[in-house]
Every structure is written in C-alpha cells, then in structure tokens.
Amino acid sequence: MGSETSSMDSGALCLHFLLSYHGLRSSPQQLLHDFSGVDGRMDVISIVLAARKSSLKAKAVSCSLKKLPLPAIAELKNGDFVIVAKACSEGRLP
C-alpha cells in the first residue's frame, strides 16, 4: 500500500475493496467521511450500513470461519478489519 493508504481506516479500505470486487465504485475517503463514528473510524455497524447503502447484502455476525459467507470483512481483536476470501475445510485460514 502507498503512503496515502497506510494511515487509512482498515474498515473503509476493506469495504472499498469489496465494493470494487462487486463492480461498484467507491472511495475509501468518501466512505470514511460518510460513515465514520465519533472516533473518526468505521466500526462494524457503520460498515454494515455503508455496504447496505451501496446495495450489498450485509449483516454483522459472530460465527466460525466454516459458516462465514465469503468474501467477508472480519474484525480482528485489535479492532482492525481484514477481508477473508478463503478458509480451509477445517475452518481456519489457509
């Protein structure tokens, strides 16, 4: 990632990449501007709202990787977000 995206919110970036994957135009900066919380970051709820507003089906779930519909955005324990594109049959990341 370039210097302009290194400090960008991971939730906004992940949603931007998934929207692009589905052929929908977006800007991480605009997503962050429109949907960030009071702390200036996108949380799970704001990502779900932004995805729905962009015509994607989205909901917040807590489940194992085996049951996660892919591709998906997952929140890490540190609060950052990642895209999960594939999981092994054992329900772990490859």
Side-chain angles (χ1 to χ4, degrees):
M1 284 188 208
S3 62
E4 71 181 40
T5 58
S6 62
S7 63
M8 177 58 67
D9 179 76
S10 62
L13 282 172
C14 287
L15 182 55
H16 165 70
F17 291 138
L18 277 186
L19 289 170
S20 296
Y21 172 79
H22 289 286
L24 301 169
R25 299 186 82 186
S26 71
S27 156
Q29 294 84 359
Q30 192 64 47
L31 290 168
L32 196 57
H33 177 268
D34 293 345
F35 296 100
S36 65
V38 293
D39 61 355
R41 294 178 43 100
M42 291 185 77
D43 60 11
V44 172
I45 300 301
S46 61
I47 291 171
V48 169
L49 291 173
R52 287 179 179 173
K53 185 159 178 110
S54 300
S55 76
L56 292 181
K57 291 182 183 178
K59 63 181 177 178
V61 298
S62 179
C63 64
S64 70
L65 282 174
K66 284 183 180 181
K67 297 182 180 187
L68 188 65
L70 301 176
I73 298 174
E75 184 177 18
L76 302 175
K77 289 181 182 180
N78 69 1
D80 286 340
F81 294 92
V82 295
I83 295 175
V84 179
K86 182 178 181 179
C88 294
S89 59
E90 298 87 31
R92 57 184 177 79
L93 295 175

